[in-house]
Amino acid sequence: MATKTTVQNSIIAFAIPFSIIFLMVLIAGSKLFQSNPDMLSIAITIDLLFTVPFLYFLLIRKKNISKLTIVYFFIIGLIVSSFIIPKEHQSILQFVKNWILPFIEIGIVVLVLTKIRKGIKIFKSNTHKEVSIDFFTVLKDTCAEILPKKISIFLAMEIAVVYYGFIYWKKRLFQPNEYSYHKNSGTISLLVALIFIIGIETFVLHILLLKWNVIIAWVVTGLSIYSGVQIFGFLKSFYKRPITIENDKLYLRYGIMSETEIAISNIDTITISSREIDFDKTNIKLSPLGALESHNIVITLKNEEVLNGLYGIKKEYQTIALYVDDKERFTTEIENQLPQK
């Protein structure tokens, strides 16, 4: 009974603000608005941007709902106002976009980073010293706590690219239970060459597009630079996120591009093999680069697992191929931990 009441209260907490938003949309499309657009534009903008979020806060302040969801209603109000308020009456809206929204964005990033730091400290205090602490894992969990799932995945990926690419320069010393996969595979050389090609093409394309359209030239250049930054972040993450065996689990990682967690007891066979595999829905590669990268290990599972790829893309698999620099030691370690048949 208590659970039913809690659900009803939560529905009410969301229903009332949305009802007010819907009412504001109706007023903006009415004849009353057309006869007095100046005053009503101000009133509707204030209600959507401030009254609705504040009312929502009053409704959830004693409930087990994240207070950060208040920001969602602010953003909704911002979007709705942009559509229903005539441009000539958006002075308050423009002020909020230029002077308030940036501080909210910065606040969210600071909150995420603060929670990440707190999460790492808690993780350190509650686990054995030999257990590795993975920044990207903590980052994803933290973002998922305070943001919607799809938004949290994108934010976590963007922060990770900057962190691994430009902040985390300290050399990562691998432990005996950690295995590299970038030293002999040729992936690093491939990605460095790709960054170099992007740089040359960006320069040439920018010169050509400037003769046609300056804005488009800079937009294309910006996207190219962004792509190069992304690839550099992916490349650097290979050095920082090794494949790990710990607590009876195998953590397969390919930088921040893909990863999966496998219980050792779920492994049916592990073989050293570079043979070609017919990749399909159940047979996949750990690397999203596919045929561009070779493999030397093939793992077949008893039951299917899920591979987490870029920006939350998931794939189920039963056989996975990957590259490990020290393949003999890696295979032996796994075989020693497999249950005896």
Side-chain angles (χ1 to χ4, degrees):
M1 187 68 180
T3 304
K4 184 178 179 180
T5 303
T6 302
V7 172
Q8 289 176 342
N9 290 336
S10 298
I11 293 174
I12 292 172
F14 285 94
I16 292 177
F18 276 116
S19 298
I20 296 175
I21 293 172
F22 181 69
L23 179 61
M24 293 300 105
V25 173
L26 292 179
I27 293 175
S30 67
K31 292 182 179 180
L32 177 63
F33 182 85
Q34 293 175 5
S35 62
N36 193 8
D38 295 333
M39 292 300 296
L40 286 178
S41 291
I42 295 174
I44 291 174
T45 302
I46 291 174
D47 282 344
L48 288 174
L49 297 183
F50 304 108
T51 304
V52 169
F54 180 68
L55 177 61
Y56 174 71
F57 166 72
L58 295 178
L59 292 169
I60 69 165
R61 71 186 190 281
K62 294 182 179 180
K63 294 180 173 61
N64 189 25
I65 299 175
S66 172
K67 302 302 181 287
L68 194 67
T69 52
I70 297 170
V71 178
Y72 304 160
F73 279 99
F74 175 81
I75 299 300
I76 291 172
L78 201 68
I79 295 171
V80 173
S81 298
S82 300
F83 280 101
I84 68 175
I85 302 298
K87 290 185 178 181
E88 61 270 21
H89 299 295
Q90 291 187 4
S91 57
I92 294 178
L93 188 61
Q94 290 302 320
F95 175 82
V96 171
K97 288 180 178 179
N98 295 332
W99 297 101
I100 297 180
L101 184 60
F103 286 102
I104 292 176
E105 293 171 343
I106 293 171
I108 292 174
V109 173
V110 170
L111 177 62
V112 169
L113 294 178
T114 302
K115 283 185 170 288
I116 290 170
R117 185 179 179 186
K118 183 179 178 181
I120 291 175
K121 286 183 177 180
I122 293 173
F123 191 90
K124 284 181 177 179
S125 63
N126 293 339
T127 55
H128 196 275
K129 292 182 179 179
E130 293 181 357
V131 176
S132 59
I133 299 172
D134 182 61
F135 173 84
F136 189 50
T137 301
V138 177
L139 174 62
K140 289 190 295 181
D141 292 343
T142 302
C143 290
E145 287 180 9
I146 61 179
L147 294 169
K149 186 176 181 180
K150 291 184 179 180
I151 296 176
S152 69
I153 292 172
F154 277 87
L155 180 61
M157 186 62 70
E158 297 306 310
I159 293 176
V161 166
V162 174
Y163 175 77
Y164 287 109
F166 303 96
I167 297 176
Y168 188 3
W169 289 97
K170 185 178 179 181
K171 185 177 181 181
R172 176 76 149 80
L173 299 177
F174 288 3
Q175 301 300 315
N177 66 322
E178 297 176 336
Y179 297 84
S180 63
Y181 45 86
H182 61 275
K183 295 179 180 179
N184 304 317
S185 66
T187 304
I188 299 298
S189 300
L190 174 65
L191 294 182
V192 169
L194 186 57
I195 293 173
F196 183 71
I197 292 171
I198 289 175
I200 294 176
E201 288 189 345
T202 299
F203 177 76
V204 175
L205 193 59
H206 181 75
I207 299 298
L208 293 175
L209 288 176
L210 277 176
K211 299 177 181 179
W212 176 53
N213 189 298
V214 175
I215 295 177
I216 292 179
W218 281 108
V219 168
V220 172
T221 298
L223 291 174
S224 297
I225 293 173
Y226 174 75
S227 299
V229 169
Q230 290 275 67
I231 294 172
F232 184 68
F234 295 154
L235 184 155
K236 284 282 298 304
S237 68
F238 295 154
Y239 295 87
K240 313 301 182 183
R241 303 194 77 221
I243 291 171
T244 308
I245 303 172
E246 59 185 358
N247 298 330
D248 299 320
K249 290 185 178 181
L250 171 61
Y251 297 90
L252 298 179
R253 299 173 181 133
Y254 193 80
I256 58 176
M257 297 177 75
S258 62
E259 62 185 354
T260 185
E261 178 183 320
I262 302 171
I264 299 294
S265 58
N266 190 31
I267 296 176
D268 186 30
T269 61
I270 177 171
T271 57
I272 297 176
S273 174
S274 299
R275 63 181 173 83
E276 291 295 325
I277 298 176
D278 293 328
F279 294 104
D280 51 32
K281 292 183 178 180
T282 58
N283 301 328
I284 65 172
K285 268 193 174 183
L286 175 63
S287 168
L289 299 178
L292 293 176
E293 183 178 50
S294 60
H295 64 271
N296 58 10
I297 297 288
V298 177
I299 298 176
T300 301
L301 307 180
K302 300 173 184 175
N303 302 302
E304 289 187 346
E305 289 288 357
V306 176
L307 178 75
N308 298 302
L310 286 170
Y311 298 103
I313 298 174
K314 297 181 182 294
K315 292 181 180 178
E316 292 186 350
Y317 68 92
Q318 193 153 6
T319 298
I320 187 167
L322 61 144
Y323 190 94
V324 180
D325 290 323
D326 194 347
K327 57 185 178 182
E328 287 84 6
R329 186 170 69 88
F330 176 75
T331 305
T332 301
E333 180 66 23
I334 295 292
E335 289 176 340
N336 289 340
Q337 294 190 33
L338 287 176
Q340 297 296 323
K341 296 182 180 180

